[in-house]
Amino acid sequence: MFPMNKLRSQDWFGKTDKNGFIHRSWMKNQGIPQHEFDGRPIIGICNTWSELTPCNAHFRLLAERVKRGVAEAGGFALEFPVMSLGEAVMKPTAMLFRNLLSMDVEESIRGNPLDGVVLLCGCDKTTPGPVMGAASVDIPTIVLSGGPMLNGKFEGRDIGSGTDLWKFSEDVRSGKMTLEQFFGAEACAARSNGHCMTMGTASTMASMVEALGLTLPGNAAIPAVDSRRYVMAHMAGQQIVEMVKANRTISKILTRQAFENAIKVNAAIGGSTNAVIHLLAFAGRLGIPLSLDDFHRLVRGIPLLANLMPSGKFLMEDFYYAGGLPVIIKDLGKQLHQDCLTVNGKTLGENNADAKCYNREVIRTLDNPVMADAGIAVVKGNLCPDGAVVKPSAATPALMKHRGRAVVFENIEDYHARIDAPELEVDKDSVLVLKMVGPRGYPGMAEVGNMGMPKKLLDQGVTDMVRISDGRMSGTAFGAVFLHVSPESAVGGPLALVRSGDMIEVDAHNGRLHLDVSDAEMEKRRKAWKAPQPVASRGYASLYVRHVMQAHEGADFDFLRGSSGSTVTRDSH
Ligand code: FES
């Protein structure tokens, strides 16, 4: 028995009445002996394993290693499945289901006899969904990431998940690559277990939870198939038992200062724009005030240190061998709140004090960064009163300040139908505008914001142009892409009123996105605008479009903000 306050699992297993019999007896059909119910911490292993989420396909092995660590520390682990979201497979977009996953996780934790939980997280949405759910329960929680794939290898060179795909796709369209090569690259880009090995959304979110203090140090970068990933799983199992003993709940770790750290680290690693939405959603669950303005303000002066695709040259495997995120955290020094608490009871600074860098090409120094001022830029203006974002480190610098004529697509179908039409009036200075791809409009805010460029411009050798939408883009993508325009077009945001031929001005460094149309003309268009029919009338999608908040609020459901705690007052029998 542990010398600790009564554990919440004892509200199930510690009873001597009929309910205690029910809770223990049925568990015993799995061959569990009586002593496992003697008051030791019950640890849930929240598993997003699925063969439909290939990035998480190795998670049952990881769970076994977590169980060893839990048992070694004197706890008792029970693994449970939750919904899994495969970014590469799910339609219309995995983001549509992030909030549903968070609800699954929240209710699975609260409704069960768990004292602590290990979240097994990997593919893009399978980190934010579980963290959001766990934050709304607030018991001791540790994240174990599944790890990135090994570097892609194709025709004698390294290729990165997503990042090279976008290039290959444009090369096929412009005739620079054959279909045989294209198909051949598929297996070469995904040659081991693990998630995307660029600094895409999965690697970004693994880095975010490490920077937030929700993982053991060094968690983010270890490749999925490296034996040290399994050591990390074992150690996470040990650690969660210690966290239960110390009652180190998730809200003690996820403080305002921890979020400020994560925002700055995201700038230093060239992380995904998706991190903005997910961090805003996390903060909303904890009642921590966080806004787009914080992202704009906090990242000024933070240099890009990680030389990783899509902003740089290398991949996550290289990042791990170079020292990984601990080096970045150490090098940022006083830029971060190094005194923030982490899962192991030590501060962020203590955890990373001994970090060493073994390759300064991969992790640059503050004196020799990849880019001096690299964070995600937030822009505002009459086209996006509540903001939009762009990632200058992954864009053509000259296009970060630009004025061009809008070429408008009313929705994704309109885009597909006309983008390659010879008669499309477009040139390299045009600004592509895509509507109806926001949270409600798509629905689910799909990663289509980095819309492919018109074939006739590709044929001319144009490689980037300004693109604006209310959607997102993959963290692996690049380009002068302005995203997350809020409010979105489907709810009548100014984006809905843009017409082909309007002039648009962007200025990422000065935070401006302006539609050069008079207020009177905008008012006229607003009066003529008709709200689109809701995209769903039943089922989960209907719930989603009625309750999803806008991008600048994290696209969470309005009724999920905040926490309901871990207490359940009524018995089931
Ligand atoms: Fe799963 Fe990229 S598709 S992380």
Side-chain angles (χ1 to χ4, degrees):
M1 296 271 281
F2 275 77
M4 62 180 85
N5 293 332
K6 189 176 156 230
L7 296 169
R8 76 185 287 273
S9 61
Q10 286 296 295
D11 281 341
W12 283 259
F13 299 136
K15 292 186 168 173
T16 53
D17 60 3
K18 169 193 70 172
N19 282 327
F21 180 103
I22 293 169
H23 299 317
R24 287 182 301 272
S25 172
W26 269 262
M27 294 299 285
K28 286 178 179 177
N29 80 357
Q30 300 176 83
I32 299 168
Q34 173 64 30
H35 69 258
E36 299 281 18
F37 304 108
D38 65 0
R40 66 191 66 199
I42 309 288
I43 305 299
I45 301 176
C46 175
N47 202 339
T48 53
W49 169 86
S50 168
E51 289 181 341
L52 288 168
T53 307
C55 305
N56 300 14
H58 56 303
F59 279 18
R60 287 162 122 184
L61 277 176
L62 280 179
E64 289 308 314
R65 301 308 175 96
V66 174
K67 285 179 193 170
R68 284 191 199 174
V70 169
E72 195 174 85
F76 174 37
L78 291 164
E79 182 184 349
F80 63 97
V82 289
M83 187 183 194
S84 190
L85 309 178
E87 194 69 33
V89 179
M90 281 192 100
K91 294 183 179 183
T93 170
M95 182 63 179
L96 176 61
F97 307 105
R98 181 201 63 174
N99 300 346
L100 182 60
L101 168 57
S102 81
M103 292 165 76
D104 184 352
V105 171
E106 176 178 345
E107 302 306 335
S108 294
I109 296 173
R110 183 181 298 113
N112 281 302
L114 302 177
D115 302 308
V117 66
V118 182
L119 306 176
L120 301 195
C121 303
C123 194
D124 291 12
K125 306 304 172 293
T126 63
T127 297
V131 171
M132 289 159 68
S136 287
V137 186
D138 197 21
I139 63 172
T141 302
I142 191 170
V143 173
L144 174 70
S145 300
M149 291 187 272
L150 296 176
N151 288 2
K153 299 279 180 188
F154 177 63
E155 295 186 345
R157 67 179 181 92
D158 283 0
I159 57 169
S161 317
T163 304
D164 278 287
L165 160 64
W166 314 124
K167 289 181 189 146
F168 292 161
S169 166
E170 302 288 55
D171 284 351
V172 169
R173 290 174 68 215
S174 63
K176 285 190 215 150
M177 188 180 200
T178 66
L179 268 182
E180 284 71 29
Q181 284 176 303
F182 191 63
F183 295 150
E186 288 173 6
C188 303
R191 62 192 190 89
S192 79
N193 282 139
H195 59 66
C196 291
M197 84 311 257
T198 42
M199 187 49 82
T201 305
S203 297
T204 298
M205 293 314 298
S207 301
M208 291 298 89
V209 286
E210 184 170 337
L212 286 164
L214 282 180
T215 74
L216 289 171
N219 166 76
I222 309 171
V225 295
D226 193 302
S227 55
R228 289 162 288 188
R229 173 60 60 193
Y230 291 87
V231 174
M232 180 62 72
H234 187 116
M235 301 315 288
Q238 277 195 344
Q239 192 58 57
I240 187 64
V241 178
E242 299 306 315
M243 291 177 73
V244 173
K245 286 187 202 174
N247 193 28
R248 199 173 300 127
T249 54
I250 192 168
S251 64
K252 291 176 181 162
I253 294 168
L254 295 183
T255 60
R256 162 82 196 187
Q257 287 74 21
F259 280 100
E260 292 185 358
N261 284 346
I263 290 169
K264 290 179 178 181
V265 167
N266 194 47
I269 61 174
S272 165
T273 46
N274 283 319
V276 177
I277 291 192
H278 299 320
L279 290 174
L280 288 168
F282 291 4
R285 295 298 182 102
L286 293 146
I288 293 173
L290 197 72
S291 73
L292 273 185
D293 294 335
D294 292 314
F295 285 81
H296 189 72
R297 185 176 55 80
L298 290 166
V299 302
R300 297 307 125 209
I302 302 286
L304 176 62
L305 300 179
N307 189 7
L308 302 174
M309 294 183 200
S311 300
K313 190 170 152 196
F314 296 98
L315 295 166
M316 288 299 284
E317 192 182 341
D318 308 306
F319 187 45
Y320 178 54
Y321 302 149
L325 201 68
V327 175
I328 302 262
I329 290 170
K330 183 183 177 192
D331 285 356
L332 285 176
K334 290 203 174 106
Q335 296 266 25
L336 303 181
H337 303 286
Q338 298 282 0
D339 57 347
C340 279
L341 179 69
T342 73
V343 284
N344 63 5
K346 295 184 183 165
T347 65
L348 194 71
E350 287 167 346
N351 277 341
N352 299 294
D354 296 329
K356 284 194 182 60
C357 184
Y358 302 101
N359 188 335
R360 281 297 181 188
E361 257 297 284
V362 177
I363 306 175
R364 297 285 191 83
T365 60
L366 291 170
D367 295 337
N368 181 33
V370 182
M371 190 180 278
D373 207 353
I376 288 165
V378 176
V379 293
K380 286 193 176 170
N382 66 347
L383 194 46
C384 55
D386 291 327
V389 301
V390 63
K391 186 175 169 183
S393 64
T396 303
L399 290 174
M400 292 295 87
K401 185 171 166 57
H402 181 77
R403 179 180 164 91
R405 179 186 159 277
V407 177
V408 176
F409 301 97
E410 294 299 327
N411 52 45
I412 194 69
E413 288 75 24
D414 182 32
Y415 164 79
H416 286 306
R418 293 195 295 124
I419 188 65
D420 286 341
E423 64 274 16
L424 185 71
E425 285 184 39
V426 66
D427 61 35
K428 67 176 178 42
D429 295 323
S430 301
V431 173
L432 302 184
V433 175
L434 177 58
K435 303 178 184 177
M436 294 297 289
V437 293
R440 289 198 200 177
Y442 201 74
M445 208 181 172
E447 291 187 335
V448 293
N450 55 316
M451 59 195 113
M453 299 198 306
K455 184 171 181 315
K456 65 178 166 190
L457 294 185
L458 291 174
D459 291 344
Q460 292 166 20
V462 178
T463 56
D464 197 4
M465 60 193 299
V466 174
R467 289 159 268 183
I468 298 173
S469 76
D470 44 15
R472 297 175 301 121
M473 77 170 178
S474 164
T476 65
F478 48 86
V481 186
F482 291 76
L483 304 151
H484 310 182
V485 165
S486 187
E488 64 173 302
S489 52
V491 299
L495 187 70
L497 310 179
V498 185
R499 294 179 184 168
S500 287
D502 292 346
M503 295 305 289
I504 294 178
E505 292 169 13
V506 302
D507 184 348
H509 300 298
N510 290 306
R512 187 158 182 267
L513 181 50
H514 179 72
L515 179 66
D516 197 359
V517 171
S518 70
D519 291 348
E521 172 63 18
M522 287 295 274
E523 198 44 44
K524 206 169 108 195
R525 292 183 191 180
R526 189 167 285 114
K527 283 196 179 124
W529 181 77
K530 288 197 175 47
Q533 287 294 313
V535 287
S537 58
R538 72 159 299 281
Y540 171 73
S542 164
L543 177 84
Y544 184 93
V545 294
R546 279 183 284 125
H547 290 285
V548 71
M549 298 186 294
Q550 290 295 290
H552 71 282
E553 300 168 307
D556 201 357
F557 288 156
D558 50 11
F559 62 86
L560 288 178
R561 290 204 122 185
S563 165
S564 302
S566 63
T567 305
V568 187
T569 54
R570 289 184 168 170
D571 267 323
S572 49
H573 299 283

